[in-house]
Amino acid sequence: MLPSSSSSATPPVVVPYRPAPTLRAIADGAVDFTLGPLACQLSAGYGLTPEDWQADVVTCSLARTAAGRWAAKFVKVLVPRQNGKNGIIEVLELFGLVVLGLRILHTAHEVKTARKAFVRLAAMFDNEDRFPELYVLAKEIRRANGQEAILLHAADCGPQGHANTRCGCEGGASAEFIARTPGSGRGFTVDWLICDEDQDLTDEEFAALQPTVSAAPSGDPIRFLFGTPPDPDKPGQGKGEVAMRKRRQGFAGEDPRLTCFNWGAPDGPMPDVGDDALIEAYNPAVVTGRMNIEEPLAERSSSSPRMYARERLGWCGDPATKAGGVINMNTWAGGRVDAPAPSTAAVVVDVSPTLEWSAVGLAGAGPGAGPGAGEILVLVDQTPGTGEVVDTLTRLVIGDEAAGIEPRISLPVVRDEKGRPSLMPVWLTRNALVFSDALTAAGIPWRELGSTDQGRGCTAFQEFVKAGRIKHAGQPELAAAVRNARTKFVGLTQHWDQRDPTIDMTPLVSVSCAAQRWAAASAAPSAAPPSPVGISASDATSARTSVPDWNSVPL
């Protein structure tokens, strides 16, 4: 029988082994008994004896209700690397195949990880001398790359022998192994969905996988998530979102059909990486002796503190500074300055996909600017809808000669590789092209900012922030976009994710692209500039109608 427990914010962690998990939330659902001990007994008989902590995870994962159904619909396990989560998966898969007769889909982020899992499990069914009982169960073992699978004979097929793949039965239990992609899993129908390396699992990938268990042959599916803490500094793509969502639900007790185990430092400020006691507190394999403590100590000497805290101490970051986005808010807050708006600036305009918001982003020389890698000051003018943008741009770059109002900024004057001067145009994202005719009529030079350039802006801005180059005035609309910033991949290029209509990303899209455009234009030239370096009044006039190919400007 399972110990009495439920998914709550303060789950019990009193267990007869060390180290105790920092979270042990067992699914509700009127737990009556568990098949876990049988699964552990079976695997031990074939040379895979689970350690106490692994056995606890298996026992709680395979809890059943009085109606004979799984208590958990989701099982989430987070533990630092190389502690033995794959051993848990093997115990589950062996039992699911041999005893329960289930169809299993094992997914991993990388092809090599999925194949390693296949090779380990297939070895049990492909060794007639050592495991004859398993050998005769196997109808077919597929080894082709990308099609790895273990297919067993149907339960009523009888002892056909391993080589007899033409017995006539349609097959029974199966375990198939794939690497995840946004479309992977389509065409599969399984009882258990196992997602290894869930720190890299995206919402898009999981959305493609979820239907594989919607019509489970058993009518009672489970989704398993196994992984380590996601990298909070890795460019977004939504990696780890599913895993962290289920983990948060486990700590908050929000999902009664979730069984969740967590070994790792608590969320919040980074743990003391110099504390040797934390190695044993969060690494079960060190306590059992399977991992020599000298190895984590060696890792500590060669890793950054943040990486070591994540990889070895199971630290998932500080929600107060991260807020789920890809930009660290502590770093962002450190870039606030009291400085006047730049007199010369790159300008980018973006409009939200719903046309509810528009933003004019500026980027120019910061207070500590210098050649090449100086500071960049960014500002934004965000307005509802699209009605005020042209007037805003006119005031910024044209002014009102009749009223004696000078333009507030100048567009940068740059030279091409032949030394010919031109004004940098106002850049318009695709949605902002609605302003193109009005800007032409106003005499404001403009150009479309293509998808590739928007990707460059997204990537460069993240690096600029990390390097401390971005300075800002603490504008709340920009801070809100930064705090919630996520990224996605379009082809091989990273872009800001604007799919959530509740979050206006136009301030960040506009200033990030403006910052990249400014940095590219102000970078030191690879060759000496032509002489003279000055620009005449006629040059400035001709510059308004001579716009170079900005895609050719080096980053």
Side-chain angles (χ1 to χ4, degrees):
M1 296 289 291
L2 286 174
S4 176
S5 178
S6 63
S7 297
S8 65
T10 56
V13 290
V14 178
V15 290
Y17 59 83
R18 295 179 48 248
T22 47
L23 174 67
R24 181 179 183 268
I26 305 170
D28 287 339
V31 172
D32 184 63
F33 65 100
T34 175
L35 299 177
L38 290 177
C40 295
Q41 183 180 0
L42 175 71
S43 64
Y46 291 101
L48 181 60
T49 303
E51 296 169 349
D52 289 345
W53 72 277
Q54 294 172 314
D56 189 30
V57 174
V58 172
T59 298
C60 295
S61 299
L62 299 184
R64 305 277 275 185
T65 67
R69 299 181 65 82
W70 301 119
K73 288 294 184 184
F74 282 92
V75 174
K76 164 63 187 153
V77 179
L78 183 146
V79 66
R81 294 179 63 183
Q82 300 299 317
N83 271 279
K85 62 178 174 61
N86 288 322
I88 299 172
I89 297 175
E90 289 169 18
V91 172
L92 291 168
E93 290 178 339
L94 181 64
F95 187 71
L97 284 173
V98 174
V99 177
L100 301 179
L102 300 178
R103 297 185 183 274
I104 300 169
L105 179 60
H106 179 123
T107 76
H109 177 61
E110 296 186 341
V111 172
K112 64 180 181 180
T113 309
R115 183 159 183 82
K116 284 180 180 179
F118 160 74
V119 169
R120 285 176 61 90
L121 191 62
M124 290 185 161
F125 293 89
D126 199 26
N127 191 329
E128 184 177 12
D129 293 333
R130 188 177 180 190
F131 305 131
E133 303 91 344
L134 299 181
Y135 183 83
V136 299
L137 294 177
K139 177 181 175 69
E140 182 182 359
I141 297 179
R142 298 174 183 166
R143 302 183 184 277
N145 284 337
Q147 301 179 36
E148 292 88 347
I150 301 168
L151 308 178
L152 304 191
H153 288 283
D156 58 356
C157 183
Q160 300 297 330
H162 177 79
N164 189 1
T165 59
R166 299 177 181 175
C167 61
C169 80
E170 296 181 356
S174 64
E176 300 180 78
F177 299 77
I178 63 171
R180 290 188 295 266
T181 65
S184 65
R186 300 189 188 278
F188 291 91
T189 301
V190 298
D191 300 294
W192 283 359
L193 171 62
I194 294 179
C195 297
D196 191 15
E197 299 181 314
D198 70 2
Q199 68 272 15
D200 291 305
L201 177 65
T202 68
D203 274 321
E204 187 176 11
E205 291 169 345
F206 197 57
L209 290 169
Q210 285 251 55
T212 63
V213 295
S214 296
S218 65
D220 192 17
I222 306 180
R223 305 152 184 85
F224 295 88
L225 303 172
F226 293 86
T228 60
D231 185 352
D233 295 324
K234 185 180 288 185
Q237 315 166 53
K239 288 189 174 183
E241 285 185 340
V242 179
M244 291 299 97
R245 185 180 307 123
K246 300 311 292 184
R247 177 179 176 271
R248 287 192 296 270
Q249 291 173 357
F251 273 101
E254 294 175 350
D255 184 354
R257 302 303 299 276
L258 168 68
T259 288
C260 187
F261 281 78
N262 186 96
W263 279 268
D267 295 350
M270 187 171 66
D272 181 3
V273 297
D275 187 351
D276 293 354
L278 296 184
I279 298 175
E280 291 192 3
Y282 306 131
N283 289 272
V286 171
V287 176
T288 63
R290 199 162 31 81
M291 181 189 296
N292 191 319
I293 195 171
E294 294 298 324
E295 300 312 314
L297 293 177
E299 293 171 5
R300 185 171 66 191
S301 68
S302 59
S303 303
S304 70
R306 286 179 62 85
M307 181 174 293
Y308 178 81
R310 182 181 69 252
E311 298 285 356
R312 185 51 56 208
L313 302 183
W315 179 58
C316 291
D318 188 348
T321 62
K322 196 64 182 171
V326 298
I327 295 176
N328 188 294
M329 292 307 292
N330 273 345
T331 304
W332 178 256
R336 179 169 182 172
V337 295
D338 292 322
S343 58
T344 303
V347 181
V348 174
V349 184
D350 185 44
V351 177
S352 66
T354 61
L355 304 182
E356 293 183 30
W357 294 95
S358 301
V360 177
L362 309 180
E375 295 177 352
I376 303 172
L377 178 63
V378 295
L379 299 168
V380 68
D381 188 317
Q382 178 200 47
T383 56
T386 59
E388 301 179 30
V389 170
V390 174
D391 288 342
T392 298
L393 290 172
T394 301
R395 290 193 301 270
L396 279 174
V397 302
I398 298 294
D400 188 339
E401 186 176 354
I405 300 175
E406 295 291 326
R408 293 171 58 186
I409 65 166
S410 298
L411 295 173
V413 176
V414 294
R415 294 180 182 272
D416 63 17
E417 66 278 1
K418 295 183 178 179
R420 294 174 298 197
S422 63
L423 283 181
M424 180 186 289
V426 170
W427 298 93
L428 305 180
T429 65
R430 178 167 297 181
N431 288 340
L433 289 175
V434 295
F435 307 121
S436 58
D437 291 343
L439 294 183
T440 299
I444 299 175
W446 63 270
R447 182 165 178 175
E448 180 180 357
L449 190 72
S451 176
T452 299
D453 286 315
Q454 289 188 54
R456 290 172 177 166
C458 172
T459 303
F461 193 76
Q462 294 176 68
E463 295 304 314
F464 292 162
V465 172
K466 290 179 184 178
R469 292 183 62 185
I470 296 297
K471 304 301 175 183
H472 58 89
Q475 293 175 282
E477 59 270 39
L478 179 55
V482 169
R483 182 178 297 107
N484 292 285
R486 305 286 182 108
T487 63
K488 64 177 182 178
F489 268 73
V490 177
L492 298 177
T493 308
Q494 228 186 131
H495 287 248
W496 299 117
D497 191 342
Q498 295 181 273
R499 291 174 293 184
D500 187 345
T502 65
I503 301 172
D504 178 31
M505 295 297 294
T506 59
L508 181 56
V509 172
S510 60
V511 301
S512 62
C513 293
Q516 189 274 328
R517 295 282 83 186
W518 174 264
S522 60
S526 57
S531 180
V533 296
I535 180 169
S536 67
S538 61
D539 284 340
T541 301
S542 65
R544 288 188 177 275
T545 57
S546 175
V547 179
D549 181 3
W550 284 92
N551 292 325
S552 66
V553 176
L555 298 179

